[in-house]
Amino acid sequence: ADHMEGYCVCKLLIQSSPVYSVTENAVRPSALSGAVPSDYPAVLGALLPSSLYFLIVSGVLSAKLPQALAKGEWLDKSQPLVDTQEYRQLLSDLTDYRQRALGLIARHLPPYFRNKRILCKAFWEHLQNRRTSEPGRARRYLQPEKMQDIIRWNINATNVAQELQRQNIKKVDFKFCLAWHANEVLKEGPLIKDLQRETIPENHKGNDTKAISAIVHFMLLEHLGLIADD
């Protein structure tokens, strides 16, 4: 049964693997006929918003977290050279961090993803079908953390380009964002003043890869406690 299931999954991935279309801004199965098996979501998970796929394709976001939200499974397949009880305990201690990371993404998704329980399995646990249960073994689940409102950064292609020119660099990274924030705080620049605005105009929102990258970096710095709105 396991061999047959593996064969069917492999066949599906070859014939109907999801492909991101840049022109259509959508993810579709690669099957020429357009027909896919009825259990297609059970293999690849629920369909995520196109904007999330764009971040993955652009390299801004790892596929690990979105995959867990889509499939409802978090698998730790990597096995260390020396397996110890301390290493296994370390993986268990990462639960809070993982739930927070899932919450940062799930907060921008429909309620179905925000309230989803995600089965967590490590390499030492039997990778069985998630619809079955193993007697005598407690199953571990992750629940996306409920996040508070974040700072409403007004970051777009224009002000990112201006700041890159001011710093005379070409790459958006943590150093760039920290230097930008420090300069704006000292000058009380628009990046800080715009935090008081109720809403940000649609044409002022992040609208290119570098702007999106800067927003993600600022969000991470905020949740690390390195910057704040005060």
Side-chain angles (χ1 to χ4, degrees), residues 60-62 65 97 100-102 104-105 107-108 147 150-151 153 155 172-175 177-178 181 211-228:
V60 176
L61 183 66
S62 168
L65 296 172
Y97 296 100
R100 186 174 184 83
L102 290 168
L104 289 173
I105 296 179
R107 62 171 294 141
H108 302 286
M147 308 301 298
I150 60 174
I151 301 175
W153 299 108
I155 297 176
V172 173
D173 54 15
F174 288 113
K175 182 179 179 181
C177 293
L178 287 171
H181 181 263
I212 295 174
S213 178
I215 293 173
V216 172
H217 279 82
F218 268 94
M219 289 174 60
L220 179 55
L221 290 170
E222 175 191 349
H223 287 285
L224 289 174
L226 297 178
I227 57 177

Side-chain angles (χ1 to χ4, degrees), residues 26-209:
V27 174
R28 306 183 186 278
S30 59
L32 298 178
S33 62
V36 295
S38 57
D39 59 349
Y40 190 78
V43 177
L44 296 174
L47 183 66
L48 298 168
S50 298
S51 56
L52 198 55
Y53 290 114
F54 175 76
L55 292 177
I56 297 173
V57 173
S58 302
V60 176
L61 183 66
S62 168
K64 180 72 173 182
L65 296 172
Q67 182 184 36
L69 290 168
K71 280 275 292 176
E73 291 180 343
W74 184 301
L75 303 179
D76 286 317
K77 295 182 179 180
S78 300
Q79 186 171 353
L81 295 176
V82 180
D83 183 16
T84 63
Q85 188 61 38
E86 289 77 10
Y87 182 81
R88 297 189 178 193
Q89 183 61 43
L90 175 62
L91 290 182
S92 298
D93 293 341
L94 292 175
T95 297
D96 291 341
Y97 296 100
R98 289 173 170 176
Q99 292 186 145
R100 186 174 184 83
L102 290 168
L104 289 173
I105 296 179
R107 62 171 294 141
H108 302 286
L109 303 179
Y112 167 76
F113 295 100
R114 296 197 295 268
N115 302 322
K116 196 170 189 176
R117 294 180 72 203
I118 299 171
L119 179 63
C120 184
K121 289 184 178 181
F123 62 87
W124 67 86
E125 296 173 309
H126 180 53
L127 298 180
Q128 59 183 350
N129 190 293
R130 67 191 297 264
R131 292 183 294 272
T132 63
S133 59
E134 183 178 347
R137 182 183 293 275
R139 313 189 85 183
R140 297 184 296 124
Y141 288 92
L142 299 174
Q143 184 76 43
E145 183 178 329
K146 306 296 183 183
M147 308 301 298
Q148 301 296 323
D149 290 338
I150 60 174
I151 301 175
R152 299 180 59 84
W153 299 108
N154 182 9
I155 297 176
N156 52 69
T158 302
N159 56 16
V160 169
Q162 292 173 349
E163 182 62 21
L164 286 170
Q165 183 178 11
R166 187 189 73 83
Q167 297 189 30
N168 194 26
I169 57 177
K170 298 181 179 180
K171 182 181 179 181
V172 173
D173 54 15
F174 288 113
K175 182 179 179 181
F176 164 79
C177 293
L178 287 171
W180 188 6
H181 181 263
N183 182 65
E184 291 292 300
V185 170
L186 291 175
K187 295 171 48 181
E188 294 188 359
L191 186 68
I192 303 302
K193 291 181 179 179
D194 285 344
L195 297 178
Q196 309 301 324
R197 300 175 65 173
E198 292 287 335
T199 59
I200 297 175
E202 194 67 28
N203 60 341
H204 285 183
K205 295 182 179 179
N207 49 8
D208 75 339
T209 305

